[in-house]
């Protein structure tokens, strides 16, 4: 599944300017990850002892404090953190504020980690969608990036979008040819290094490789994941005394008791969990109902004959859905919605190709609703953690001297409209083509 398409760079540019403009307030996700980044480069240590009072997302082991997250995103942030520190030194800045307190700094760090992850996921999804039906890349990518939780999380320090990019790339690479199995394994390993739950994606893609190419190439896939496994094992050994001990085992905050239950807080799916995931204030059926069309589209993809690929997408979707419903806190604290499902979103979004082709009007209506509410969610969740607009959020556009905060929001909304219009025009053009 891989095909280039016209105006690809324009599409990715529209995704960038319409999703990455919001500057959310600093939160514990920023602090715990950047504390690890700073400790690694400034102190040569994996503990975050100097910063542990500033965040509740932390683990405690053998007298020291650590980030309770997978280390991947902290590692990805190091080049930007160091570059900004160098720029501050050259410019003579004497601010003693931590880096996450600098508005421009924290926005840039988020964009160059999660933001790049969003664009990478959009890039791979577009190539995959175009290979299924020429001309459908733009509407699928726009719907995914602007109409699901991937968009609002693309300008945060949450790890899910980067994990989604690595995990989906592993799958798409594996579909191309068997000689790329080691590369697919390396990408799957990178996804796990960023988010532990991405091991579910690695498992499903490994089964796909074994069934399609045989056991020999499964070994190649596993070999590709060895560097990431060694890296994660080394981090765990340095922090928690064993390569097999994850940070989740030592969580030390108000959720310690819940985190120790089941498998690091994941039990069995519950009706309460399902209500939160689908129907609560920021549930997927309220904020992003286009996922229903995408799910139906995966069934059509199966019927079309791409059964192995459809099976992978369905399996990943269901695994993350059930895991999110089984977690003790499906939203994971303050967030734009059930964020633990996000790594599965590119897999689910692949079904939009068939949904747009078979049910154009219903899918388009659901997509417009999803883009509208998701944009509103992205503007509001960081202020009040609910779908309620009381204050205008800060945006990168409002950093310009002549643009007010309100005007920055209007610019962002106009860019979203422009991206949607472009996706609609590309869809209309694709449907005018004669059937192959």
């Amino acid at each position: 599944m891989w095909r280039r398409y016209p105006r690809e760079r324009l599409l990715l540019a529209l995704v960038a300017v319409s999703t990455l403009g919001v500057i959310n307030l600093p939160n514990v996700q920023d602090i715990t990850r950047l504390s690890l980044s700073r400790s690694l480069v400034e102190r040569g240590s994996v503990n975050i002892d100097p910063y542990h009072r500033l965040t509740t997302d932390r683990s405690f082991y053998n007298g020291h404090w650590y980030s309770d997250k997978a280390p991947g995103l902290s590692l990805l942030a190091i080049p930007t953190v160091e570059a900004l520190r160098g720029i501050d030194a050259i410019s003579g800045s004497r601010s003693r504020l931590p880096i996450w307190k600098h508005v421009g700094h924290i926005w840039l760090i988020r964009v160059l980690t999660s933001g790049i992850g969003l664009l990478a996921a959009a890039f791979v999804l577009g190539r995959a969608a175009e290979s299924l039906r020429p001309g459908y890349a733009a509407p699928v990518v726009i719907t995914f990036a602007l109409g699901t939780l991937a968009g609002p999380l693309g300008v945060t320090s949450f790890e899910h979008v980067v994990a989604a990019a690595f995990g989906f790339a592993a799958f798409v690479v594996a579909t191309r040819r068997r000689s790329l199995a080691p590369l697919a394994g390396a990408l799957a390993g990178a996804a796990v290094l960023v988010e532990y739950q991405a091991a579910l994606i690695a498992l499903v893609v490994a089964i796909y490789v074994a069934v399609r190419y045989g056991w020999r190439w499964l070994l190649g896939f596993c070999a590709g994941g060895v560097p990431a496994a060694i890296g994660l094992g080394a981090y765990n050994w340095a922090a928690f005394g064993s390569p097999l001990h994850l940070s989740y085992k030592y969580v030390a905050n108000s959720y310690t008791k819940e985190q120790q239950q089941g498998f690091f807080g994941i039990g069995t799916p519950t009706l309460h969990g399902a209500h939160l995931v689908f129907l609560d204030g920021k549930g997927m059926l309220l904020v992003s109902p286009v996922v229903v069309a995408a799910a139906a589209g995966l069934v059509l993809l199966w019927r079309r004959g791409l059964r192995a690929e459809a099976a992978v997408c369905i399996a990943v979707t269901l695994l993350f859905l059930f895991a999110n419903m089984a977690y003790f806190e499906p939203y994971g604290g303050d967030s734009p919605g059930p964020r633990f499902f996000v790594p599965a979103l590119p897999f689910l979004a692949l079904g939009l190709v068939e949904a747009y082709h078979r049910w154009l009007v219903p899918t388009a209506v659901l997509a417009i609703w999803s883009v509208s509410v998701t944009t509103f969610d992205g503007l509001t969740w960081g202020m009040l953690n609910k779908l309620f607009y009381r204050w205008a959020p800060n945006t990168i556009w409002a950093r310009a001297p002549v643009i007010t905060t309100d005007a920055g929001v209007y610019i962002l909304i106009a860019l979203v409209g422009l991206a949607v219009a472009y996706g609609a025009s590309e869809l209309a053009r694709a449907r005018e083509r004669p059937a192959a």
Side-chain angles (χ1 to χ4, degrees), residues 73-252:
L73 203 70
S74 297
L75 296 174
L76 291 175
I78 287 176
T80 308
V81 170
E82 284 302 282
L84 290 171
R85 188 167 68 145
I87 292 171
D88 287 342
I90 293 172
S91 64
S93 174
R94 298 182 179 181
S95 173
R96 294 182 178 273
L97 291 175
I99 196 167
W100 50 83
K101 290 289 188 179
H102 293 264
V103 175
H105 287 20
I106 190 60
W107 177 81
L108 189 61
I109 292 169
R110 290 165 174 170
V111 167
L112 293 181
T113 50
S114 291
I116 289 179
L118 176 64
L119 296 179
F123 168 74
V124 177
L125 177 61
R127 292 283 179 98
E130 189 72 10
S131 71
L132 296 177
R133 291 196 183 275
Y136 280 73
V140 170
V141 167
I142 293 295
T143 305
F144 161 74
L146 278 68
T148 73
L149 284 179
L153 289 178
V155 67
T156 71
S157 293
F158 291 101
E159 72 273 36
H160 312 298
V161 176
V162 177
F166 279 127
F168 188 65
F171 166 57
V172 172
V173 166
T175 66
R176 297 190 65 189
R177 57 181 182 269
R178 63 187 182 182
S179 61
L180 293 177
L183 176 57
L187 291 166
V192 178
L193 190 61
V194 170
E195 180 174 0
Y196 299 135
Q197 295 92 323
L200 295 172
I201 296 175
L203 175 61
V204 174
V205 176
I207 294 173
Y208 173 85
V209 170
V211 171
R212 181 171 179 182
Y213 303 126
W215 294 104
R216 175 188 172 189
W217 294 103
L218 174 61
L219 293 177
F221 177 86
C222 295
V226 167
I230 292 175
L232 181 58
Y235 170 76
N236 290 336
W237 202 341
F240 308 114
S242 169
L244 301 180
H245 289 184
L246 300 180
S247 56
Y248 285 169
K249 184 176 182 180
Y250 304 101
V251 168

Side-chain angles (χ1 to χ4, degrees), residues 33-54:
R33 298 183 197 284
L34 297 180
S35 294
L36 177 56
S37 301
R38 294 190 63 180
S39 290
L40 285 170
V41 297
E42 295 177 16
R43 302 169 50 241
S45 174
V46 295
N47 71 58
I48 60 168
D49 289 346
Y51 315 104
H52 79 274
R53 295 183 184 278
L54 304 177

Side-chain angles (χ1 to χ4, degrees), residues 323-334:
N324 207 164
M325 291 190 297
Y327 192 58
F328 71 89
E329 176 53 84
Y331 286 9
D334 290 356

